[in-house]
Amino acid sequence: MYGINGQFYKAIKALYKALLACVQVNDLKTGWFSSPFAVKQGDVLSPTLFSIYVNDLAQEIKKTNLGIDINSWNLTDEEIKLQGMLNTMNDWCNKWRLTINNDKTQIVHFRKPLPQSNFLFYFGKTTLMYTDTYKYLGFVFHKNMIHVCKSAISLVE
């Protein structure tokens, strides 16, 4: 599908045949164990392989037509449509045996000056909690559209 075939495909496949891993914490290391569903940590090829793996999730969400495309981001301002996208993501995760960290999965309702939504969002059977901030690439965005970084606070217009 992505044009990876021939010798290059065989080389990647050989790298991941009978993959073994261990866990190290400080000076302590576990024994080696089989890891059939992973990319190699620290390997230069791993980000590309993971990107290929999750790319069809973006395509599935786009196919729902529940949002609008802004610079490759599918955005919506309707709660029920966002829930539909979350359902699509949950289905995709179940299909590919991927789990999310429920403690790190939250909803932030960016708004100014509207009150916070009281819609209950779910990821599968898990109710998602609302949070006041969202951190992206070191930048913290506040629910009231205030951008907070380490040295300054400014209003995002």
Side-chain angles (χ1 to χ4, degrees), residues 17-54:
K17 185 176 183 178
L19 187 63
L20 297 175
C22 72
V23 176
Q24 180 175 347
V25 178
N26 298 324
D27 293 333
L28 301 174
K29 214 184 256 191
T30 68
W32 292 93
F33 55 90
S34 175
S35 182
F37 306 110
V39 292
K40 295 179 178 183
Q41 185 174 353
D43 188 88
V44 295
L45 198 53
S46 294
T48 301
L49 292 174
F50 186 75
S51 199
I52 291 168
Y53 172 70
V54 299

PDB file of all heavy atoms in Angstrom, residues 17-54:
ATOM      1  N   LYS A  17      11.672 -10.215  12.838  1.00  0.00           N
ATOM      2  CA  LYS A  17      11.362 -11.627  13.034  1.00  0.00           C
ATOM      3  C   LYS A  17      11.894 -12.053  14.398  1.00  0.00           C
ATOM      4  O   LYS A  17      13.048 -11.814  14.725  1.00  0.00           O
ATOM      5  CB  LYS A  17      11.999 -12.478  11.929  1.00  0.00           C
ATOM      6  CG  LYS A  17      11.609 -13.927  12.012  1.00  0.00           C
ATOM      7  CD  LYS A  17      12.176 -14.713  10.855  1.00  0.00           C
ATOM      8  CE  LYS A  17      11.671 -16.145  10.968  1.00  0.00           C
ATOM      9  NZ  LYS A  17      12.119 -16.948   9.871  1.00  0.00           N
ATOM     10  N   ALA A  18      11.042 -12.664  15.198  1.00  0.00           N
ATOM     11  CA  ALA A  18      11.413 -13.157  16.533  1.00  0.00           C
ATOM     12  C   ALA A  18      12.041 -12.049  17.390  1.00  0.00           C
ATOM     13  O   ALA A  18      13.089 -12.227  18.000  1.00  0.00           O
ATOM     14  CB  ALA A  18      12.353 -14.353  16.420  1.00  0.00           C
ATOM     15  N   LEU A  19      11.389 -10.902  17.425  1.00  0.00           N
ATOM     16  CA  LEU A  19      11.881  -9.751  18.188  1.00  0.00           C
ATOM     17  C   LEU A  19      11.862 -10.041  19.684  1.00  0.00           C
ATOM     18  O   LEU A  19      10.871 -10.528  20.228  1.00  0.00           O
ATOM     19  CB  LEU A  19      11.013  -8.524  17.880  1.00  0.00           C
ATOM     20  CG  LEU A  19      11.458  -7.197  18.450  1.00  0.00           C
ATOM     21  CD1 LEU A  19      12.817  -6.802  17.877  1.00  0.00           C
ATOM     22  CD2 LEU A  19      10.437  -6.123  18.114  1.00  0.00           C
ATOM     23  N   LEU A  20      12.990  -9.758  20.336  1.00  0.00           N
ATOM     24  CA  LEU A  20      13.098  -9.927  21.784  1.00  0.00           C
ATOM     25  C   LEU A  20      13.327  -8.566  22.426  1.00  0.00           C
ATOM     26  O   LEU A  20      13.907  -7.670  21.814  1.00  0.00           O
ATOM     27  CB  LEU A  20      14.264 -10.851  22.138  1.00  0.00           C
ATOM     28  CG  LEU A  20      14.159 -12.288  21.645  1.00  0.00           C
ATOM     29  CD1 LEU A  20      15.445 -13.039  21.969  1.00  0.00           C
ATOM     30  CD2 LEU A  20      12.963 -12.989  22.267  1.00  0.00           C
ATOM     31  N   ALA A  21      12.861  -8.427  23.682  1.00  0.00           N
ATOM     32  CA  ALA A  21      13.014  -7.171  24.401  1.00  0.00           C
ATOM     33  C   ALA A  21      13.276  -7.460  25.870  1.00  0.00           C
ATOM     34  O   ALA A  21      13.045  -8.568  26.356  1.00  0.00           O
ATOM     35  CB  ALA A  21      11.748  -6.331  24.245  1.00  0.00           C
ATOM     36  N   CYS A  22      13.768  -6.447  26.560  1.00  0.00           N
ATOM     37  CA  CYS A  22      13.894  -6.522  28.011  1.00  0.00           C
ATOM     38  C   CYS A  22      13.605  -5.131  28.550  1.00  0.00           C
ATOM     39  O   CYS A  22      13.593  -4.156  27.798  1.00  0.00           O
ATOM     40  CB  CYS A  22      15.282  -7.000  28.436  1.00  0.00           C
ATOM     41  SG  CYS A  22      16.592  -5.801  28.196  1.00  0.00           S
ATOM     42  N   VAL A  23      13.355  -5.053  29.833  1.00  0.00           N
ATOM     43  CA  VAL A  23      13.075  -3.771  30.474  1.00  0.00           C
ATOM     44  C   VAL A  23      14.215  -3.482  31.437  1.00  0.00           C
ATOM     45  O   VAL A  23      14.607  -4.343  32.223  1.00  0.00           O
ATOM     46  CB  VAL A  23      11.729  -3.805  31.234  1.00  0.00           C
ATOM     47  CG1 VAL A  23      11.494  -2.504  31.969  1.00  0.00           C
ATOM     48  CG2 VAL A  23      10.584  -4.107  30.271  1.00  0.00           C
ATOM     49  N   GLN A  24      14.736  -2.238  31.354  1.00  0.00           N
ATOM     50  CA  GLN A  24      15.808  -1.843  32.251  1.00  0.00           C
ATOM     51  C   GLN A  24      15.361  -0.638  33.062  1.00  0.00           C
ATOM     52  O   GLN A  24      14.876   0.346  32.509  1.00  0.00           O
ATOM     53  CB  GLN A  24      17.085  -1.494  31.475  1.00  0.00           C
ATOM     54  CG  GLN A  24      18.228  -1.087  32.370  1.00  0.00           C
ATOM     55  CD  GLN A  24      19.514  -0.861  31.610  1.00  0.00           C
ATOM     56  OE1 GLN A  24      19.649  -1.226  30.450  1.00  0.00           O
ATOM     57  NE2 GLN A  24      20.478  -0.252  32.276  1.00  0.00           N
ATOM     58  N   VAL A  25      15.520  -0.725  34.374  1.00  0.00           N
ATOM     59  CA  VAL A  25      15.257   0.387  35.281  1.00  0.00           C
ATOM     60  C   VAL A  25      16.522   0.579  36.103  1.00  0.00           C
ATOM     61  O   VAL A  25      16.914  -0.318  36.858  1.00  0.00           O
ATOM     62  CB  VAL A  25      14.041   0.116  36.199  1.00  0.00           C
ATOM     63  CG1 VAL A  25      13.830   1.270  37.160  1.00  0.00           C
ATOM     64  CG2 VAL A  25      12.796  -0.151  35.375  1.00  0.00           C
ATOM     65  N   ASN A  26      17.162   1.729  35.895  1.00  0.00           N
ATOM     66  CA  ASN A  26      18.469   1.988  36.512  1.00  0.00           C
ATOM     67  C   ASN A  26      19.428   0.856  36.148  1.00  0.00           C
ATOM     68  O   ASN A  26      19.640   0.607  34.979  1.00  0.00           O
ATOM     69  CB  ASN A  26      18.336   2.193  38.022  1.00  0.00           C
ATOM     70  CG  ASN A  26      17.470   3.401  38.332  1.00  0.00           C
ATOM     71  OD1 ASN A  26      17.515   4.401  37.624  1.00  0.00           O
ATOM     72  ND2 ASN A  26      16.684   3.306  39.387  1.00  0.00           N
ATOM     73  N   ASP A  27      19.977   0.169  37.129  1.00  0.00           N
ATOM     74  CA  ASP A  27      20.929  -0.908  36.836  1.00  0.00           C
ATOM     75  C   ASP A  27      20.282  -2.282  36.769  1.00  0.00           C
ATOM     76  O   ASP A  27      20.955  -3.282  36.544  1.00  0.00           O
ATOM     77  CB  ASP A  27      22.036  -0.930  37.899  1.00  0.00           C
ATOM     78  CG  ASP A  27      22.920   0.306  37.826  1.00  0.00           C
ATOM     79  OD1 ASP A  27      23.030   0.884  36.732  1.00  0.00           O
ATOM     80  OD2 ASP A  27      23.501   0.679  38.867  1.00  0.00           O
ATOM     81  N   LEU A  28      18.972  -2.350  36.984  1.00  0.00           N
ATOM     82  CA  LEU A  28      18.279  -3.634  36.985  1.00  0.00           C
ATOM     83  C   LEU A  28      17.673  -3.921  35.616  1.00  0.00           C
ATOM     84  O   LEU A  28      17.098  -3.037  34.982  1.00  0.00           O
ATOM     85  CB  LEU A  28      17.187  -3.642  38.048  1.00  0.00           C
ATOM     86  CG  LEU A  28      17.657  -3.394  39.489  1.00  0.00           C
ATOM     87  CD1 LEU A  28      16.466  -3.291  40.417  1.00  0.00           C
ATOM     88  CD2 LEU A  28      18.586  -4.511  39.927  1.00  0.00           C
ATOM     89  N   LYS A  29      17.800  -5.151  35.164  1.00  0.00           N
ATOM     90  CA  LYS A  29      17.303  -5.551  33.848  1.00  0.00           C
ATOM     91  C   LYS A  29      16.512  -6.842  33.982  1.00  0.00           C
ATOM     92  O   LYS A  29      16.916  -7.751  34.691  1.00  0.00           O
ATOM     93  CB  LYS A  29      18.491  -5.779  32.921  1.00  0.00           C
ATOM     94  CG  LYS A  29      18.264  -5.408  31.485  1.00  0.00           C
ATOM     95  CD  LYS A  29      19.472  -5.776  30.637  1.00  0.00           C
ATOM     96  CE  LYS A  29      20.272  -4.559  30.304  1.00  0.00           C
ATOM     97  NZ  LYS A  29      21.292  -4.841  29.281  1.00  0.00           N
ATOM     98  N   THR A  30      15.367  -6.907  33.294  1.00  0.00           N
ATOM     99  CA  THR A  30      14.594  -8.146  33.275  1.00  0.00           C
ATOM    100  C   THR A  30      15.254  -9.125  32.322  1.00  0.00           C
ATOM    101  O   THR A  30      16.169  -8.764  31.564  1.00  0.00           O
ATOM    102  CB  THR A  30      13.148  -7.909  32.786  1.00  0.00           C
ATOM    103  OG1 THR A  30      13.180  -7.546  31.396  1.00  0.00           O
ATOM    104  CG2 THR A  30      12.430  -6.851  33.598  1.00  0.00           C
ATOM    105  N   GLY A  31      14.738 -10.336  32.303  1.00  0.00           N
ATOM    106  CA  GLY A  31      15.168 -11.293  31.296  1.00  0.00           C
ATOM    107  C   GLY A  31      14.582 -10.915  29.941  1.00  0.00           C
ATOM    108  O   GLY A  31      13.710 -10.051  29.833  1.00  0.00           O
ATOM    109  N   TRP A  32      15.066 -11.539  28.895  1.00  0.00           N
ATOM    110  CA  TRP A  32      14.565 -11.275  27.542  1.00  0.00           C
ATOM    111  C   TRP A  32      13.233 -11.979  27.340  1.00  0.00           C
ATOM    112  O   TRP A  32      13.024 -13.080  27.831  1.00  0.00           O
ATOM    113  CB  TRP A  32      15.591 -11.748  26.514  1.00  0.00           C
ATOM    114  CG  TRP A  32      16.826 -10.902  26.551  1.00  0.00           C
ATOM    115  CD1 TRP A  32      17.956 -11.138  27.270  1.00  0.00           C
ATOM    116  CD2 TRP A  32      17.022  -9.669  25.876  1.00  0.00           C
ATOM    117  NE1 TRP A  32      18.863 -10.123  27.081  1.00  0.00           N
ATOM    118  CE2 TRP A  32      18.316  -9.207  26.223  1.00  0.00           C
ATOM    119  CE3 TRP A  32      16.256  -8.899  25.017  1.00  0.00           C
ATOM    120  CZ2 TRP A  32      18.844  -8.014  25.738  1.00  0.00           C
ATOM    121  CZ3 TRP A  32      16.790  -7.718  24.529  1.00  0.00           C
ATOM    122  CH2 TRP A  32      18.062  -7.288  24.892  1.00  0.00           C
ATOM    123  N   PHE A  33      12.317 -11.315  26.632  1.00  0.00           N
ATOM    124  CA  PHE A  33      11.009 -11.885  26.350  1.00  0.00           C
ATOM    125  C   PHE A  33      10.594 -11.520  24.933  1.00  0.00           C
ATOM    126  O   PHE A  33      11.087 -10.550  24.352  1.00  0.00           O
ATOM    127  CB  PHE A  33       9.955 -11.415  27.371  1.00  0.00           C
ATOM    128  CG  PHE A  33       9.855  -9.917  27.487  1.00  0.00           C
ATOM    129  CD1 PHE A  33       8.977  -9.193  26.684  1.00  0.00           C
ATOM    130  CD2 PHE A  33      10.625  -9.229  28.424  1.00  0.00           C
ATOM    131  CE1 PHE A  33       8.881  -7.815  26.800  1.00  0.00           C
ATOM    132  CE2 PHE A  33      10.530  -7.848  28.547  1.00  0.00           C
ATOM    133  CZ  PHE A  33       9.650  -7.147  27.727  1.00  0.00           C
ATOM    134  N   SER A  34       9.695 -12.316  24.390  1.00  0.00           N
ATOM    135  CA  SER A  34       9.194 -12.093  23.036  1.00  0.00           C
ATOM    136  C   SER A  34       8.346 -10.827  22.997  1.00  0.00           C
ATOM    137  O   SER A  34       7.577 -10.545  23.909  1.00  0.00           O
ATOM    138  CB  SER A  34       8.351 -13.300  22.612  1.00  0.00           C
ATOM    139  OG  SER A  34       7.769 -13.057  21.365  1.00  0.00           O
ATOM    140  N   SER A  35       8.477 -10.048  21.931  1.00  0.00           N
ATOM    141  CA  SER A  35       7.715  -8.807  21.766  1.00  0.00           C
ATOM    142  C   SER A  35       7.177  -8.736  20.338  1.00  0.00           C
ATOM    143  O   SER A  35       7.739  -8.049  19.485  1.00  0.00           O
ATOM    144  CB  SER A  35       8.620  -7.612  22.081  1.00  0.00           C
ATOM    145  OG  SER A  35       7.899  -6.407  21.968  1.00  0.00           O
ATOM    146  N   PRO A  36       6.085  -9.454  20.068  1.00  0.00           N
ATOM    147  CA  PRO A  36       5.601  -9.544  18.691  1.00  0.00           C
ATOM    148  C   PRO A  36       4.864  -8.299  18.182  1.00  0.00           C
ATOM    149  O   PRO A  36       4.629  -8.171  16.996  1.00  0.00           O
ATOM    150  CB  PRO A  36       4.650 -10.741  18.739  1.00  0.00           C
ATOM    151  CG  PRO A  36       4.156 -10.753  20.146  1.00  0.00           C
ATOM    152  CD  PRO A  36       5.308 -10.267  20.986  1.00  0.00           C
ATOM    153  N   PHE A  37       4.490  -7.366  19.071  1.00  0.00           N
ATOM    154  CA  PHE A  37       3.702  -6.195  18.666  1.00  0.00           C
ATOM    155  C   PHE A  37       4.400  -4.911  19.082  1.00  0.00           C
ATOM    156  O   PHE A  37       3.933  -4.203  19.963  1.00  0.00           O
ATOM    157  CB  PHE A  37       2.308  -6.235  19.295  1.00  0.00           C
ATOM    158  CG  PHE A  37       1.556  -7.502  19.020  1.00  0.00           C
ATOM    159  CD1 PHE A  37       1.316  -8.413  20.025  1.00  0.00           C
ATOM    160  CD2 PHE A  37       1.114  -7.797  17.742  1.00  0.00           C
ATOM    161  CE1 PHE A  37       0.627  -9.580  19.773  1.00  0.00           C
ATOM    162  CE2 PHE A  37       0.435  -8.966  17.476  1.00  0.00           C
ATOM    163  CZ  PHE A  37       0.188  -9.863  18.494  1.00  0.00           C
ATOM    164  N   ALA A  38       5.513  -4.601  18.479  1.00  0.00           N
ATOM    165  CA  ALA A  38       6.241  -3.404  18.885  1.00  0.00           C
ATOM    166  C   ALA A  38       7.198  -2.958  17.789  1.00  0.00           C
ATOM    167  O   ALA A  38       7.470  -3.698  16.851  1.00  0.00           O
ATOM    168  CB  ALA A  38       7.024  -3.681  20.164  1.00  0.00           C
ATOM    169  N   VAL A  39       7.679  -1.732  17.934  1.00  0.00           N
ATOM    170  CA  VAL A  39       8.810  -1.278  17.136  1.00  0.00           C
ATOM    171  C   VAL A  39       9.994  -1.174  18.092  1.00  0.00           C
ATOM    172  O   VAL A  39       9.822  -1.044  19.302  1.00  0.00           O
ATOM    173  CB  VAL A  39       8.549   0.077  16.426  1.00  0.00           C
ATOM    174  CG1 VAL A  39       7.494  -0.061  15.347  1.00  0.00           C
ATOM    175  CG2 VAL A  39       8.174   1.164  17.416  1.00  0.00           C
ATOM    176  N   LYS A  40      11.186  -1.234  17.550  1.00  0.00           N
ATOM    177  CA  LYS A  40      12.384  -1.218  18.383  1.00  0.00           C
ATOM    178  C   LYS A  40      12.620   0.186  18.934  1.00  0.00           C
ATOM    179  O   LYS A  40      12.714   1.150  18.174  1.00  0.00           O
ATOM    180  CB  LYS A  40      13.593  -1.658  17.564  1.00  0.00           C
ATOM    181  CG  LYS A  40      13.526  -3.093  17.104  1.00  0.00           C
ATOM    182  CD  LYS A  40      14.752  -3.447  16.277  1.00  0.00           C
ATOM    183  CE  LYS A  40      14.705  -4.887  15.854  1.00  0.00           C
ATOM    184  NZ  LYS A  40      15.916  -5.272  15.122  1.00  0.00           N
ATOM    185  N   GLN A  41      12.721   0.288  20.250  1.00  0.00           N
ATOM    186  CA  GLN A  41      12.960   1.581  20.875  1.00  0.00           C
ATOM    187  C   GLN A  41      14.349   2.072  20.516  1.00  0.00           C
ATOM    188  O   GLN A  41      15.335   1.348  20.626  1.00  0.00           O
ATOM    189  CB  GLN A  41      12.814   1.474  22.390  1.00  0.00           C
ATOM    190  CG  GLN A  41      12.941   2.813  23.077  1.00  0.00           C
ATOM    191  CD  GLN A  41      12.648   2.723  24.560  1.00  0.00           C
ATOM    192  OE1 GLN A  41      12.231   1.701  25.067  1.00  0.00           O
ATOM    193  NE2 GLN A  41      12.888   3.814  25.248  1.00  0.00           N
ATOM    194  N   GLY A  42      14.417   3.319  20.049  1.00  0.00           N
ATOM    195  CA  GLY A  42      15.700   3.913  19.698  1.00  0.00           C
ATOM    196  C   GLY A  42      16.163   3.634  18.288  1.00  0.00           C
ATOM    197  O   GLY A  42      17.129   4.233  17.829  1.00  0.00           O
ATOM    198  N   ASP A  43      15.495   2.761  17.576  1.00  0.00           N
ATOM    199  CA  ASP A  43      15.874   2.443  16.198  1.00  0.00           C
ATOM    200  C   ASP A  43      15.445   3.590  15.284  1.00  0.00           C
ATOM    201  O   ASP A  43      14.350   4.126  15.420  1.00  0.00           O
ATOM    202  CB  ASP A  43      15.199   1.144  15.759  1.00  0.00           C
ATOM    203  CG  ASP A  43      15.715   0.660  14.418  1.00  0.00           C
ATOM    204  OD1 ASP A  43      16.712  -0.080  14.424  1.00  0.00           O
ATOM    205  OD2 ASP A  43      15.121   1.029  13.395  1.00  0.00           O
ATOM    206  N   VAL A  44      16.306   3.980  14.352  1.00  0.00           N
ATOM    207  CA  VAL A  44      16.010   5.119  13.484  1.00  0.00           C
ATOM    208  C   VAL A  44      14.797   4.872  12.584  1.00  0.00           C
ATOM    209  O   VAL A  44      14.139   5.811  12.150  1.00  0.00           O
ATOM    210  CB  VAL A  44      17.227   5.525  12.613  1.00  0.00           C
ATOM    211  CG1 VAL A  44      18.359   6.029  13.474  1.00  0.00           C
ATOM    212  CG2 VAL A  44      17.686   4.375  11.738  1.00  0.00           C
ATOM    213  N   LEU A  45      14.487   3.625  12.327  1.00  0.00           N
ATOM    214  CA  LEU A  45      13.355   3.288  11.468  1.00  0.00           C
ATOM    215  C   LEU A  45      12.016   3.272  12.223  1.00  0.00           C
ATOM    216  O   LEU A  45      10.953   3.384  11.617  1.00  0.00           O
ATOM    217  CB  LEU A  45      13.612   1.913  10.831  1.00  0.00           C
ATOM    218  CG  LEU A  45      12.820   1.511   9.612  1.00  0.00           C
ATOM    219  CD1 LEU A  45      12.907   2.565   8.527  1.00  0.00           C
ATOM    220  CD2 LEU A  45      13.330   0.175   9.095  1.00  0.00           C
ATOM    221  N   SER A  46      12.063   3.181  13.549  1.00  0.00           N
ATOM    222  CA  SER A  46      10.846   3.021  14.350  1.00  0.00           C
ATOM    223  C   SER A  46       9.817   4.147  14.180  1.00  0.00           C
ATOM    224  O   SER A  46       8.631   3.864  14.029  1.00  0.00           O
ATOM    225  CB  SER A  46      11.198   2.844  15.821  1.00  0.00           C
ATOM    226  OG  SER A  46      11.881   1.627  15.995  1.00  0.00           O
ATOM    227  N   PRO A  47      10.206   5.432  14.199  1.00  0.00           N
ATOM    228  CA  PRO A  47       9.180   6.476  14.013  1.00  0.00           C
ATOM    229  C   PRO A  47       8.460   6.368  12.670  1.00  0.00           C
ATOM    230  O   PRO A  47       7.253   6.566  12.593  1.00  0.00           O
ATOM    231  CB  PRO A  47       9.977   7.783  14.110  1.00  0.00           C
ATOM    232  CG  PRO A  47      11.182   7.432  14.900  1.00  0.00           C
ATOM    233  CD  PRO A  47      11.506   6.008  14.526  1.00  0.00           C
ATOM    234  N   THR A  48       9.207   6.019  11.627  1.00  0.00           N
ATOM    235  CA  THR A  48       8.592   5.880  10.305  1.00  0.00           C
ATOM    236  C   THR A  48       7.634   4.687  10.282  1.00  0.00           C
ATOM    237  O   THR A  48       6.514   4.787   9.772  1.00  0.00           O
ATOM    238  CB  THR A  48       9.672   5.712   9.221  1.00  0.00           C
ATOM    239  OG1 THR A  48      10.516   6.857   9.250  1.00  0.00           O
ATOM    240  CG2 THR A  48       9.049   5.574   7.845  1.00  0.00           C
ATOM    241  N   LEU A  49       8.056   3.563  10.854  1.00  0.00           N
ATOM    242  CA  LEU A  49       7.194   2.381  10.887  1.00  0.00           C
ATOM    243  C   LEU A  49       5.930   2.652  11.707  1.00  0.00           C
ATOM    244  O   LEU A  49       4.830   2.269  11.308  1.00  0.00           O
ATOM    245  CB  LEU A  49       7.951   1.177  11.452  1.00  0.00           C
ATOM    246  CG  LEU A  49       9.073   0.638  10.575  1.00  0.00           C
ATOM    247  CD1 LEU A  49       9.837  -0.458  11.311  1.00  0.00           C
ATOM    248  CD2 LEU A  49       8.534   0.134   9.246  1.00  0.00           C
ATOM    249  N   PHE A  50       6.074   3.333  12.844  1.00  0.00           N
ATOM    250  CA  PHE A  50       4.902   3.647  13.659  1.00  0.00           C
ATOM    251  C   PHE A  50       3.980   4.607  12.920  1.00  0.00           C
ATOM    252  O   PHE A  50       2.764   4.469  12.953  1.00  0.00           O
ATOM    253  CB  PHE A  50       5.304   4.222  15.021  1.00  0.00           C
ATOM    254  CG  PHE A  50       4.126   4.426  15.924  1.00  0.00           C
ATOM    255  CD1 PHE A  50       3.530   3.328  16.545  1.00  0.00           C
ATOM    256  CD2 PHE A  50       3.591   5.679  16.133  1.00  0.00           C
ATOM    257  CE1 PHE A  50       2.422   3.490  17.375  1.00  0.00           C
ATOM    258  CE2 PHE A  50       2.494   5.856  16.959  1.00  0.00           C
ATOM    259  CZ  PHE A  50       1.908   4.758  17.578  1.00  0.00           C
ATOM    260  N   SER A  51       4.545   5.560  12.219  1.00  0.00           N
ATOM    261  CA  SER A  51       3.756   6.519  11.441  1.00  0.00           C
ATOM    262  C   SER A  51       2.933   5.806  10.364  1.00  0.00           C
ATOM    263  O   SER A  51       1.761   6.114  10.155  1.00  0.00           O
ATOM    264  CB  SER A  51       4.703   7.532  10.802  1.00  0.00           C
ATOM    265  OG  SER A  51       4.027   8.672  10.420  1.00  0.00           O
ATOM    266  N   ILE A  52       3.548   4.845   9.691  1.00  0.00           N
ATOM    267  CA  ILE A  52       2.827   4.056   8.695  1.00  0.00           C
ATOM    268  C   ILE A  52       1.698   3.278   9.363  1.00  0.00           C
ATOM    269  O   ILE A  52       0.583   3.209   8.855  1.00  0.00           O
ATOM    270  CB  ILE A  52       3.799   3.106   7.949  1.00  0.00           C
ATOM    271  CG1 ILE A  52       4.739   3.919   7.054  1.00  0.00           C
ATOM    272  CG2 ILE A  52       3.037   2.063   7.135  1.00  0.00           C
ATOM    273  CD1 ILE A  52       5.903   3.121   6.494  1.00  0.00           C
ATOM    274  N   TYR A  53       1.992   2.730  10.532  1.00  0.00           N
ATOM    275  CA  TYR A  53       1.014   1.935  11.281  1.00  0.00           C
ATOM    276  C   TYR A  53      -0.215   2.761  11.655  1.00  0.00           C
ATOM    277  O   TYR A  53      -1.338   2.306  11.491  1.00  0.00           O
ATOM    278  CB  TYR A  53       1.711   1.388  12.528  1.00  0.00           C
ATOM    279  CG  TYR A  53       0.826   0.698  13.524  1.00  0.00           C
ATOM    280  CD1 TYR A  53       0.246  -0.527  13.251  1.00  0.00           C
ATOM    281  CD2 TYR A  53       0.591   1.262  14.770  1.00  0.00           C
ATOM    282  CE1 TYR A  53      -0.547  -1.185  14.177  1.00  0.00           C
ATOM    283  CE2 TYR A  53      -0.199   0.618  15.712  1.00  0.00           C
ATOM    284  CZ  TYR A  53      -0.764  -0.594  15.409  1.00  0.00           C
ATOM    285  OH  TYR A  53      -1.546  -1.232  16.325  1.00  0.00           O
ATOM    286  N   VAL A  54      -0.030   3.983  12.144  1.00  0.00           N
ATOM    287  CA  VAL A  54      -1.175   4.778  12.607  1.00  0.00           C
ATOM    288  C   VAL A  54      -1.801   5.645  11.517  1.00  0.00           C
ATOM    289  O   VAL A  54      -2.850   6.242  11.742  1.00  0.00           O
ATOM    290  CB  VAL A  54      -0.824   5.663  13.827  1.00  0.00           C
ATOM    291  CG1 VAL A  54      -0.394   4.836  14.997  1.00  0.00           C
ATOM    292  CG2 VAL A  54       0.190   6.712  13.491  1.00  0.00           C
TER     293      VAL A  54
END
